[in-house]
Amino acid sequence: MTVTELPLPTRRAKPVVERPELLPLDAGEQYRFAFAMEACVGCHSCEAACAEQNGLPPEIAWRRVGEIEGGTFPDTKRFHLSMACNHCLEPACLEGCPTNAYTKLDNGVVAHEADECIGCQYCTWNCPYSVPAFQPDRRIVTKCDMCLPRLEDGRAPACVDACPTFAITVEKVDVEAWRADHREGDAPNLPSADLTLSTTRISLPDDVPLETYGGSEWALRPEDPHWPLVWLTLLTQMAVGTSATASGAGERTLAAVVAAVALGASLLHLGRPVHAWKALRNLRRSWLSREVALFGAFAAVAALAVVVPVAAPAATVIGGAGVFASGRLYVVPGRPAWNTPLTIVRFFATALVLGPLLTDRPWLTIAGVAASALATLANLLRLRRSSRIEHWGAVRLTLHRFRVQSAVVVLGWGVGVALALAVHPLAAVAPLALAEVLGRWLFYVTVVPLDMPGSFARAARKH
C-alpha cells in the first residue's frame, strides 16, 4: 500500500485593509467613533492602548469591552461591544456639572478640564453610559477625550490604532442629520441614544438575537453608599423641618446649627474640597449648583432668624427650595431608581419625620413617616414592572440582598410612631433617626445605574 502525497493547499493572500483616513471637518460636522460589532473579537487591545496612552491606573478604564448574548440553545450567539465616551450632541455630563468643567469643542469632542473639577462625581450619575470615572489618585473625574492631541495632529486615537480587526474607527458626521435620525446609535442592552443623542455609530450583525442580555447582569452589586451625602441630605432636611416648625429661639438655634453642620459634612464628599466654591458656577443649568446656593442661603438666614425672628419664614421658604433642588438633582435618567418625582417626595417626607420630632409636633412626624413609607412602596412597585436590570435590580437589592436592613427601616418607623404617640416625641428620635439613616443608605447602595453591558469573564468593576 502506497501513500499518496497530496499537494498542500495554496494560501491566498489576504486583502490589505486600510484604516479610513481622518478627513478634515466641514461646516456642521463633528468627529465620532464608529464600531463594527461583527468585527470585534473581544481581545481588549483597545482598552490596553487607551490605558497606556492616558496613563490610567489599573482600576480605571475609559474604554471598555463588554459582551451580549442571546438566542436559544443550540443556536446561541455572543457578541462584543467596545465603547468609550460617545461625545454626545447633548451631553448630560456637561449639562449637570456645577463647575462648568466640561466643554463641547468645535470638533465634537466633549472635553473635561481637570483643573476645574472638584470631584463631586455628579457627572458620573448623569451620564447614562457611566462614562466619566472618578480617579482616586487624582481626586477628580476623568474621561475619554478621543485622544485629542492625536486627533489635532491628524492621527487616530490610540484605541483605533490598536484594534487588530478595524472594528473601531473615527469618522465625521453631519450633526443635524444625526440629530434627526440617530437610530444607528442604538444597540442591544445599551441605553437609548435619545437620552443624550450619543454620536457613536454602531454597525450590528444581521444575526443578533431579538432577546439578549449583558455579560454583567449576573454580577449585580451595590453602589457606593456616599456617607457624606447621607449626612448632608438628612441633616439639611432635618434643619428645614425644624426651622419650619420652630416656635422659639432655642428651636431656631438648633435649626441653624444643624444646617451649618450639614454644609460642613458636604465638603467630605468632594475630591478637592478646597475648591468647593466652584460649585456655584453653573446656576443656570445644574441642580447641584442650585442646591449649594440655596442651602448656603438657608444656613445664613436661619442663623439670622435666631436674633431676628421675622426672618424665620424666609428661612423656611429658602430651605424648602433647597430640599426641592436637593431631590431634583437625583432625578436623572442615568439612575432609573431615582428618576422619579417620588425622590423629591421622599426628601420632603424626611424633613417632616425628623424636624417636628425636635419641636414637639408628633402628628407632623407621623404624616412624614406615612409619606416616606408610601413613596418607598410606590417606587418599588414602579421598578418591579420593568424587565430591565436597572429597574428590577434595584428591587432585588432592596428586598433580597439588603432585606434585613429594609426590615429594620420599617421596624424603626413603626416603633418610632408608637413611642411618639404613647410616650413623647423625643422618645421616638432614636428609632426614627435609625430608620432614616438606614433608608438613605439604601437609597444610595441599591440604585443600579444605566451602563453598557459588562463582561461574562469578570465581574462588573467600578470605573
Side-chain angles (χ1 to χ4, degrees), residues 96-99 278-294 329:
C97 177
T99 68
K278 293 182 179 181
L280 293 169
R281 285 180 169 177
N282 196 9
L283 291 170
R284 185 169 65 89
R285 289 192 307 249
S286 176
W287 283 103
L288 181 55
S289 289
R290 296 165 186 169
E291 178 199 40
V292 172
L294 287 167
L329 72 86

Side-chain angles (χ1 to χ4, degrees), residues 340-355:
T340 168
L342 293 170
T343 297
I344 301 172
V345 172
R346 182 74 174 81
F347 278 24
F348 274 106
T350 296
L352 272 182
V353 171
L354 298 178

Side-chain angles (χ1 to χ4, degrees), residues 256-396:
V257 169
V258 172
V261 172
L263 291 180
S266 68
L267 299 177
L268 299 176
H269 177 66
L270 302 180
R272 302 169 67 201
V274 70
H275 297 286
W277 59 272
K278 293 182 179 181
L280 293 169
R281 285 180 169 177
N282 196 9
L283 291 170
R284 185 169 65 89
R285 289 192 307 249
S286 176
W287 283 103
L288 181 55
S289 289
R290 296 165 186 169
E291 178 199 40
V292 172
L294 287 167
F295 278 138
F298 166 68
V301 178
L304 176 64
V306 175
V307 293
V308 184
V310 293
T316 298
V317 171
I318 296 171
V323 173
F324 178 84
S326 184
R328 181 61 183 80
L329 72 86
Y330 292 94
V331 183
V332 292
R335 297 293 188 272
W338 298 345
N339 191 29
T340 168
L342 293 170
T343 297
I344 301 172
V345 172
R346 182 74 174 81
F347 278 24
F348 274 106
T350 296
L352 272 182
V353 171
L354 298 178
L357 271 182
L358 305 179
T359 57
D360 197 15
R361 304 288 195 279
W363 289 107
L364 288 177
T365 292
I366 294 171
V369 170
S372 293
L374 290 174
T376 302
L377 177 61
N379 197 34
L380 290 173
L381 292 175
R382 175 185 72 90
L383 296 169
R384 189 172 177 269
R385 290 195 295 267
S386 173
S387 60
R388 290 191 60 94
I389 183 175
E390 298 86 5
H391 294 76
W392 63 258
V395 178
R396 183 172 181 82

Side-chain angles (χ1 to χ4, degrees), residues 69-154:
E69 187 174 85
T72 304
F73 181 82
D75 186 23
T76 60
K77 302 289 183 181
R78 179 179 290 183
F79 298 97
H80 295 89
L81 174 64
S82 175
M83 180 168 284
C85 178
N86 295 304
H87 301 284
C88 307
L89 299 186
E90 297 178 0
C93 56
L94 183 153
E95 293 295 323
C97 177
T99 68
N100 287 321
Y102 288 91
T103 306
K104 180 75 170 173
L105 302 181
D106 292 340
N107 62 6
V109 171
V110 178
H112 177 263
E113 180 58 53
D115 290 342
E116 300 303 324
C117 182
I118 60 175
C120 71
Q121 305 174 56
Y122 188 42
C123 56
T124 68
W125 297 349
N126 274 268
C127 176
Y129 300 95
S130 294
V131 163
F134 182 72
Q135 196 166 322
D137 60 322
R138 298 180 64 186
R139 306 299 301 165
I140 59 171
V141 168
T142 60
K143 66 174 285 293
C144 157
D145 62 357
M146 207 181 279
C147 290
L148 187 58
R150 296 170 62 103
L151 203 67
E152 291 174 338
D153 287 341

